[in-house]
């Protein structure tokens, strides 16, 4: 790694090496039984240079052929964007806890037992259900070095459980599922299986949805599948810079309901999305985005911040091996005071949405979402009466999050990058078939 | 980078002596380049090289899989995969029999697109970006170009040894228009198996795309509900991929008795005019290849013939378990993943009706074109049109905001009542499944008409 940096420094004004290596073991179950054991080992190096003021970029796997890497980076620098930023020269990072050595010592047998326990819990509850499940553990090491003397190094451990169940009756297909992840080993799958069992209970009966405006409670999964993508796009510093964010010119203004507060935080201990610095070596920080409905800030990496005349928020992430770009690390929605049960009890006729399919296909930039309710329930006179099908829900987040009925009190992590309570929204367009 | 030919050759003998029921190894070298534009200028440009391999073992019905970037100690990797398979297996292994193949398959495109000079690529993309920006009220734009060239060596314990090279080119452009806080976008996606010329000469299409984005700012939203819908070849291709293609992937069916009942061969799924095919054997399309990633030769598979279910897509394991013939549909997006059942080039065969005849008797309907995205949950599908228009009294009428169409797969297939005569293949697609995304595929269709399709809207 030092070799590559030395070579790059000879031909470029600035150079940065980003090296990541990871090892993961997965146990996978299919059709209710053990199917495959998998291990993946990866190593990769990315070289970013600034040559004659322009950015060049090349990556390779393994420890890399230094000459080829430098050559490719130089070739791309000829046409690269003009660099407006300076690489950080720091060694000082917040102490973010992301590594638990106990993860490494979880045996394959323990992992197999966990998977079998999850499957038994679900098949025991609903005979005839067919489950896929997975248990995985692993660790990632990241090293960043640059020509200004900046250096960062950290390790992260991860452990996850997931189970999906599929129940078919005639041509009706029900999909249920949950997952959990952490930097600590997970040894108790009950939290996950309890939620799946509840999904199965609520979905036992069938209910019909009408075609008109209805109140909708989005569960944490529902918030993730319907509402978060347009927010991520709007709060991305790049979108703001280009004038493609509907809230770009609204800092300090109230755009959402005063019960809605959202921030990004990569410093939460032992969360898989956490890290002491971003992928450019900028120290991690908690970034307020929306506070009581008022727009407070956006997510930036070094280049976007420089172009926007501000500073990086430490959100420069390399997605799929690409150049750093502004990305959320962990979106956290502040919980409110209303319990989920109270939200449901308040509804005369409405829906609870758990999973929406296709919401990412709409005009995300404009805040629109529209999707098929893959898992959702009808509420009648304060009670969930059954599962709906052939139903679509549409809305625009700038309308429905401007006038929220209630923000829930029970909050949980959905995947590594979102922690949210349920959100009770007033009127959404619901269309149903037949 | 160590020469993968040497490493593979060194391993061939060892694989044949394996104690596992089946053992295979895959070694890959690839180069890719990407160029992205955002707004008025180039945003990023990069080159990547990657190399790695994997070993997969089958023992008593359980699989072991290990992937790696380092080629030191490949024998240890083999041992690890075999050990993992033994830990996973407790039943009986079944794999459909195939003739072992020894073959060398070159790329098929004249030039390696990755080696085409960056200056040439940039010049073309600059022209395209300039066109988008020549339209007033365009707020921003994105262009994503990527190309790749890869060489994969596949060998197994049955004596197969296949080297395949393939190249790929993909281009996606979007034009984003904005006015008074209102934002709308239109996109275009194209691809090819390495031919750079497939993305040249798009100037007029791109201008139309940018103009349409501006038009959408003042287009009304469709009223949600059930409609008679006509799909253009591009969108109908996405529909057949999402609504039916994924159901045909046997790995969802082979261990699920109820799914087997639903997907029973011989069952009537649509009218007699409906024929649906998946074929990697079609030369030169985005999803084409000679051998799949298990070394099985590609064939043309009829999924639906004259409305009846007659076939499905298989890996060697699903074929054996279902006692059907292998179809060569096991694909892995790269060496980090095991192959799973995937589509290749999927399409509805053309019928005899013209577009004008198809819309002539529609009093009120929707004409949906181009694609923005699609997804399936097997029983339900959704896909989004990039463009939509009302059909009133047999004629195309006002433009609408992009619509999302959704429905139950089984009832919708039965509701296809007219099939056009103008088959066209969309090469811009990337399919996602099991975390392996975007896998190069193509899909296509003639214009088709569907009755009682649910459309999302106000």
């Amino acid at each position: 790694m030092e070799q590559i940096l030395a070579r790059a420094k000879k031909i470029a004004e600035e150079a940065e090496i980003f090296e990541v290596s990871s090892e993961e073991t997965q146990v996978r179950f299919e059709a209710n039984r053990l199917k495959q054991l998998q291990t993946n080992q990866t190593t990769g190096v990315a070289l970013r240079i600034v040559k004659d003021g322009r950015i060049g970029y090349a990556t390779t796997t393994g420890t890399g052929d230094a000459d080829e890497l430098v050559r490719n980076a130089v070739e791309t620098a000829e046409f690269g964007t003009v660099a407006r930023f300076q690489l950080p020269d720091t060694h000082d990072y917040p102490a973010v806890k992301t590594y638990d050595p106990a993860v490494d010592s979880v045996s394959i047998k323990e992992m197999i037992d966990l998977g079998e326990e999850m499957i038994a819990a679900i098949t025991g509850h609903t005979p005839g259900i067919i489950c896929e499940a997975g248990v995985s553990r692993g660790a990632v090491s990241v090293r960043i070095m640059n020509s200004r003397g900046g250096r960062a190094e950290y390790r992260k451990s991860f452990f996850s459980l997931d189970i999906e169940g599929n129940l078919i009756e005639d041509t009706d297909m029900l999909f249920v599922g949950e997952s959990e992840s952490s930097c600590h080993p997970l040894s108790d799958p009950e939290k996950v299986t309890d939620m799946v069992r509840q999904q199965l209970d609520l979905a036992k009966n069938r209910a019909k949805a009408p075609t008109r405006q209805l109140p909708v409670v989005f569960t944490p999964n529902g918030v993730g599948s319907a509402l978060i993508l347009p927010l991520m796009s709007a709060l991305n510093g790049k979108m703001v810079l280009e004038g493609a964010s509907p809230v770009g010119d609204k800092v300090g203004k109230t755009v959402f309901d005063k019960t809605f507060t959202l921030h990004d935080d990569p410093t939460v201990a032992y969360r898989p999305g956490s890290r002491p610095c971003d992928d450019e070596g900028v120290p991690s920080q908690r970034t307020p985005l929306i506070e009581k409905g008022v727009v407070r800030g956006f997510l930036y990496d070094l280049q976007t911040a420089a172009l926007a005349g501000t500073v990086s928020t430490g959100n420069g992430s390399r997605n799929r091996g690409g150049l750093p770009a502004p990305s959320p690390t962990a979106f956290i929605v502040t919980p409110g005071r209303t319990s989920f049960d109270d939200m449901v009890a308040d509804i005369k006729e409405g829906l609870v949405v758990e999973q929406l399919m296709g919401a990412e296909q709409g005009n995300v930039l404009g805040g629109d979402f529209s999707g098929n309710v893959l898992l959702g329930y009808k509420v009648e006179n304060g009670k969930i009466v059954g599962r709906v099908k052939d139903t679509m829900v549409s809305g625009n987040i700038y309308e429905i999050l401007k006038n929220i009925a209630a923000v829930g009190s029970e909050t949980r992590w959905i995947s590594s990058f979102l922690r949210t309570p349920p959100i009770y929204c007033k009127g959404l367009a619901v269309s149903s078939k037949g | 980078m160590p020469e993968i030919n040497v490493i593979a050759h060194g391993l061939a003998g060892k694989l044949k002596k394996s104690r596992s029921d089946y053992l295979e190894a895959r070694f890959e070298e690839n180069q890719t380049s990407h160029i992205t534009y955002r707004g008025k200028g180039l945003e990023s440009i990069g080159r990547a090289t990657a190399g790695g391999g994997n070993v997969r073992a089958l023992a008593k019905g359980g699989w072991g899989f290990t992937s790696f970037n380092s080629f030191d100690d490949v024998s240890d990797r083999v041992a690890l995969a075999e050990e993992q398979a033994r830990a996973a297996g407790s039943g009986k292994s079944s794999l459909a029999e195939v003739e072992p193949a020894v073959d060398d398959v070159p790329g098929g495109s004249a030039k390696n697109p990755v080696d085409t000079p960056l200056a040439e690529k940039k010049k073309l993309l600059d022209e395209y970006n300039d066109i988008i920006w020549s339209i007033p009220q365009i707020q921003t734009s994105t262009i994503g170009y990527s190309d790749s060239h890869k060489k994969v060596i596949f060998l197994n314990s049955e004596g197969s040894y296949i080297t395949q090279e393939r190249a790929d080119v993909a281009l996606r452009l979007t034009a984003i228009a904005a006015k008074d806080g209102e934002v709308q976008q239109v996109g275009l996606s194209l691809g090819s198996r390495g031919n750079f010329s497939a993305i040249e000469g798009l100037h007029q299409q791109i201008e139309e795309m940018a103009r349409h984005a501006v038009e959408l700012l003042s287009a009304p939203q469709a009223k949600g509900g059930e409609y008679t819908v006509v799909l253009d070849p591009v969108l109908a291709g996405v529909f057949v991929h999402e609504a039916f293609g994924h159901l045909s992937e046997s790995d969802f069916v082979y261990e699920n008795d109820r799914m087997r009942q639903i997907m029973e061969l011989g069952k009537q799924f649509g009218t007699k005019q409906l024929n649906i095919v998946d074929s990697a054997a079609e030369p030169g399309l985005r999803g084409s290849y000679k051998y799949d990633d298990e070394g099985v030769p590609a064939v043309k598979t009829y999924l639906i013939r004259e409305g009846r279910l007659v076939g499905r897509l298989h890996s060697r394991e699903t074929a054996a378990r279902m006692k059907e013939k292998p179809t060569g549909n096991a694909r892995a997006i790269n060496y980090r993943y095991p192959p799973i059942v995937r589509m290749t080039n999927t399409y509805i065969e053309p019928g005899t009706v013209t577009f004008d005849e198809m819309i002539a008797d529609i009093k009120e309907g929707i004409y949906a074109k181009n694609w923005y995205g699609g997804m399936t949950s097997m029983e339900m599908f959704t896909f989004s049109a990039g463009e939509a228009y009302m059909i009133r009294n047999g004629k195309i009428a006002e433009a609408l905001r992009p619509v999302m169409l959704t429905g139950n797969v089984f009832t919708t297939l039965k509701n296809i009542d007219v099939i056009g005569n103008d088959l066209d293949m969309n090469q811009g697609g990337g399919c996602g499944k099991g975390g392996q995304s975007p896998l190069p595929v193509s899909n296509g269709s003639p214009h088709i008409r569907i009755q009682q399709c649910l459309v999302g809207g106000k």
Side-chain angles (χ1 to χ4, degrees):
Chain A
M1 198 178 162
E2 285 79 351
Q3 249 195 16
I4 303 173
L5 189 61
R7 245 175 259 216
K9 271 159 85 167
K10 290 202 187 120
I11 45 87
E13 296 100 77
E14 304 225 30
E16 168 207 62
I17 315 271
F18 176 86
E19 186 189 82
V20 59
S21 61
S22 74
E23 184 107 26
E24 183 185 13
T25 303
Q26 278 188 57
V27 174
R28 289 233 52 98
F29 294 78
E30 235 180 67
N32 300 336
R33 54 175 191 280
L34 182 59
K35 182 77 184 193
Q36 179 170 272
L37 256 51
Q38 185 172 328
T39 53
N40 297 81
Q41 173 267 323
T42 68
T43 349
V45 181
L47 170 65
R48 184 164 60 152
I49 61 174
V50 178
K51 182 172 169 27
D52 301 325
R54 290 181 179 275
I55 302 174
Y57 187 67
T59 69
T60 187
T61 53
T63 40
D65 177 335
D67 283 331
E68 188 178 27
L69 198 59
V70 174
R71 214 171 33 240
N72 282 343
V74 169
E75 187 196 351
T76 59
E78 193 187 334
F79 303 102
T81 334
V82 173
R84 302 272 184 214
F85 62 92
Q86 284 185 356
L87 292 167
D89 56 7
T90 184
H91 294 235
D92 259 319
Y93 295 103
V96 178
K97 299 197 177 81
T98 54
Y99 184 71
D100 182 349
V103 164
D104 259 334
S105 37
V106 178
S107 67
I108 302 267
K109 180 170 185 314
E110 282 172 85
M111 292 169 74
I112 294 177
D113 286 344
L114 271 171
E116 288 179 342
E117 201 183 319
M118 287 196 289
I119 289 177
I122 303 307
T123 54
H125 177 275
T126 303
I129 193 167
I130 299 199
C131 297
E132 261 185 43
V135 179
S136 47
R137 65 158 157 80
V140 178
S141 281
V142 173
R143 281 208 299 160
I144 309 173
M145 268 170 99
N146 68 42
S147 52
R148 282 190 182 258
R151 265 198 92 102
E153 196 168 337
Y154 66 90
R155 263 193 311 180
K156 194 189 298 195
S157 56
F158 55 89
F159 199 99
S160 68
L161 300 169
D162 69 89
I163 182 160
E164 300 82 48
N166 166 235
L167 189 61
I168 301 180
E169 253 141 50
D170 297 323
T171 59
D172 172 51
M173 298 186 202
L174 171 66
F175 289 87
V176 293
E178 269 304 341
S179 64
E180 195 189 344
S181 64
S182 171
C183 296
H184 291 306
L186 296 167
S187 54
D188 180 12
E190 247 183 54
K191 222 168 78 178
V192 168
T193 52
D194 278 350
M195 286 190 283
V196 176
R197 286 196 283 222
Q198 191 189 49
Q199 288 171 7
L200 285 166
D201 285 337
L202 292 174
K204 258 209 175 83
N205 301 319
R206 214 74 75 71
K208 262 214 75 36
T211 296
R212 68 162 168 278
Q213 289 241 331
L214 287 179
V216 174
V217 174
F218 289 96
T219 66
N221 276 323
V223 172
S225 67
L227 308 177
I228 281 302
L229 259 180
L231 279 170
M232 285 185 175
S233 160
L235 296 167
N236 183 321
K238 256 195 211 186
M239 293 292 141
V240 170
L241 190 61
E242 291 161 19
S245 163
V247 299
D249 55 352
K250 304 220 165 44
V251 178
K253 299 220 172 66
T254 302
V255 174
F256 301 100
D257 194 282
K258 64 182 195 302
T259 55
F260 191 67
T261 296
L262 172 70
H263 67 272
D264 181 77
D265 194 353
T267 65
V268 181
Y270 296 112
R271 287 301 314 162
S274 293
R275 55 190 188 188
C277 64
D278 72 1
D279 293 342
E280 302 183 283
V282 174
S284 292
Q285 66 177 47
R286 182 186 181 284
T287 306
L289 298 166
I290 297 166
E291 247 162 27
K292 299 195 172 123
V294 178
V295 177
R296 287 287 174 221
F298 310 112
L299 303 178
Y300 288 100
D301 61 5
L302 286 169
Q303 173 81 340
T304 315
L307 291 168
T310 178
V311 289
S312 169
T313 54
N315 284 87
S317 294
R318 295 167 193 256
N319 298 314
R320 286 214 194 136
L323 278 161
S327 302
T329 58
F331 263 17
I332 298 177
V333 177
T334 302
R337 283 206 261 262
T338 316
S339 73
F340 175 75
D341 289 338
D342 283 346
M343 289 174 172
V344 172
D346 188 59
I347 294 177
K348 201 157 149 47
E349 189 185 22
L351 296 181
V352 168
V353 169
E354 180 79 35
Q355 275 295 338
L356 207 62
M357 172 171 66
E360 73 285 357
Q361 294 169 26
N363 181 11
V364 170
L365 279 179
D368 287 337
F369 66 89
S370 178
N372 180 313
V373 181
L374 264 190
L375 188 57
Y377 318 105
K378 180 87 189 297
V379 180
E380 277 168 16
N381 298 317
K383 284 198 163 38
I384 289 179
V385 296
R387 165 190 164 220
V388 297
K389 285 187 63 173
D390 279 311
T391 301
M392 288 191 72
V393 169
S394 319
N396 181 296
I397 58 160
Y398 300 103
E399 286 165 22
I400 67 168
L401 293 181
K402 198 174 174 62
N403 190 5
I404 298 176
V407 173
S409 51
E410 313 100 321
T411 184
R412 54 178 277 248
W413 284 99
I414 304 295
S415 80
S416 64
F417 66 87
L418 174 64
R419 183 171 195 252
T420 181
I423 300 181
Y424 172 15
C425 299
K426 288 189 181 166
L428 276 96
V430 176
S431 316
S432 189
K433 201 171 159 68
Chain B
M1 202 162 284
E3 181 56 79
I4 58 173
N5 287 344
V6 172
I7 300 193
H9 271 295
L11 202 57
K14 193 178 168 78
L15 290 189
K16 288 195 195 123
K17 293 200 207 110
S18 162
R19 282 172 44 204
S20 305
D21 295 335
Y22 171 77
L23 190 58
E24 70 186 24
R26 210 169 276 106
F27 298 98
E28 182 178 323
E29 262 168 13
N30 67 58
Q31 308 98 43
T32 64
S33 69
H34 79 264
I35 304 175
T36 66
Y37 283 64
R38 188 179 278 275
K40 289 209 160 119
L42 184 147
E43 172 185 66
S44 72
I45 188 163
R47 294 247 351 213
T49 57
N54 63 54
V55 180
R56 196 167 68 131
L58 177 64
K60 292 207 179 118
W63 289 97
F65 177 81
T66 179
S67 77
F68 41 87
N69 279 127
S70 161
F71 292 122
D72 305 329
D73 314 317
V74 177
S75 321
D76 288 348
R77 307 285 180 188
V78 173
L80 178 59
E82 296 201 276
E83 183 190 320
Q84 287 173 164
R86 278 196 297 276
S90 60
K92 198 166 143 344
S93 296
S94 29
L95 283 183
E97 257 194 55
V98 291
E99 276 291 310
V102 177
D103 205 346
D104 200 317
V105 186
S109 66
K111 284 191 330 184
N112 179 346
V114 186
D115 289 338
T116 301
L118 277 174
E120 205 179 303
K121 296 170 189 173
K122 182 174 183 293
K123 181 169 176 297
L124 183 66
L125 298 177
D126 279 342
E127 283 171 24
Y128 289 161
N129 207 34
D130 287 342
I131 291 174
I132 297 176
W133 282 93
S134 69
I135 309 295
Q137 287 189 286
I138 288 295
Q139 180 67 37
T140 190
S141 63
T142 65
I143 300 183
Y145 167 83
S146 65
D147 54 32
S148 67
H149 177 267
K150 74 175 180 184
K151 173 166 139 183
V152 181
I153 301 179
F154 169 82
L155 54 156
N156 68 20
S157 49
E158 296 168 354
S160 278
Y161 192 100
I162 303 169
T163 307
Q164 294 192 89
E165 281 187 43
R166 69 168 287 145
D168 194 79
V169 170
L171 177 66
R172 180 156 179 97
L173 311 106
T174 57
I176 296 154
K179 189 176 176 188
D180 303 329
E182 176 76 54
V183 182
Q184 289 288 341
Q185 67 182 51
V186 181
L188 192 61
S189 291
L190 298 109
S192 79
R193 282 205 58 192
N195 244 320
F196 191 74
S197 58
I199 61 155
E200 290 175 319
L202 300 173
H203 306 72
Q204 184 172 12
Q205 264 182 288
I206 291 172
E207 187 177 332
E208 279 166 20
M209 172 189 88
R211 284 193 192 286
H212 191 69
V214 177
E215 275 166 28
L216 285 180
L217 290 172
S218 46
Q221 200 165 3
K223 193 159 157 291
E226 275 186 24
Y227 287 89
T228 300
V229 174
V230 170
L231 304 183
D232 82 331
V234 172
L235 191 54
V238 174
F239 163 72
V240 73
H241 175 105
E242 295 303 346
F244 186 70
H246 279 297
L247 263 183
S248 297
E249 291 165 344
S250 296
D251 54 358
F252 186 66
V253 181
Y254 80 120
E255 282 170 323
N256 189 326
D257 284 336
R258 293 190 191 178
M259 271 310 294
R260 283 198 191 218
Q261 280 168 17
I262 293 171
M263 298 299 284
E264 203 185 339
L265 294 181
K267 224 176 183 178
Q268 196 78 29
F269 269 66
T271 68
K272 274 192 128 114
Q273 287 80 43
L274 186 63
N275 298 288
I276 301 180
V277 171
D278 179 277
S279 174
E282 224 79 14
L285 292 177
R286 193 99 186 286
S288 306
Y289 47 74
K290 190 167 177 193
Y291 300 93
D292 75 358
D293 290 325
E294 287 184 324
V296 178
V299 296
K300 175 175 176 175
T301 305
Y302 270 93
L303 301 173
I304 292 198
R305 207 165 199 163
E306 288 178 9
R308 284 188 189 283
L309 188 69
V310 297
R312 41 179 138 254
L313 307 178
H314 283 296
S315 65
R316 289 183 66 183
E317 187 177 30
T318 62
R321 294 283 196 82
M322 298 191 77
K323 299 191 172 46
E324 294 170 5
K325 288 215 188 76
T327 58
N329 283 84
R331 304 177 67 185
I333 194 170
N334 61 46
Y335 61 88
R336 290 189 184 161
Y337 299 92
I340 55 177
V341 180
R342 302 302 293 266
M343 285 178 265
T344 61
N345 304 303
T346 317
Y347 57 93
I348 296 178
E349 284 192 328
T352 54
V353 179
T354 67
F355 176 66
D356 290 328
E357 286 166 353
M358 197 181 291
I359 64 171
D361 59 349
I362 298 177
K363 215 160 137 37
E364 186 192 64
I366 293 185
Y367 177 37
K369 296 180 69 174
N370 205 350
W371 70 283
Y372 191 72
M375 240 182 106
T376 186
S377 73
M378 297 305 185
E379 185 199 356
M380 307 296 292
F381 63 89
T382 65
F383 54 98
S384 290
E387 292 175 54
Y389 304 87
M390 288 303 294
I391 301 173
R392 298 191 189 283
N393 300 317
K395 292 205 166 18
I396 306 293
E398 76 272 22
L400 297 167
R401 298 253 178 112
V403 291
M404 164 170 289
L405 301 104
T406 189
N408 175 291
V409 167
F410 307 102
T411 49
T412 306
L413 280 173
K414 289 214 171 80
N415 287 339
I416 300 175
D417 69 339
V418 184
I419 295 178
N421 60 3
D422 50 355
L423 172 63
D424 198 12
M425 298 299 290
N426 163 32
Q427 306 267 29
C431 178
K433 175 179 165 181
Q436 301 197 33
S437 174
L439 187 70
V441 291
S442 81
N443 44 63
S445 174
H447 276 94
I448 61 173
R449 187 171 85 181
I450 309 178
Q451 296 291 343
Q452 295 171 292
C453 194
L454 184 61
V455 174
K458 271 219 145 38

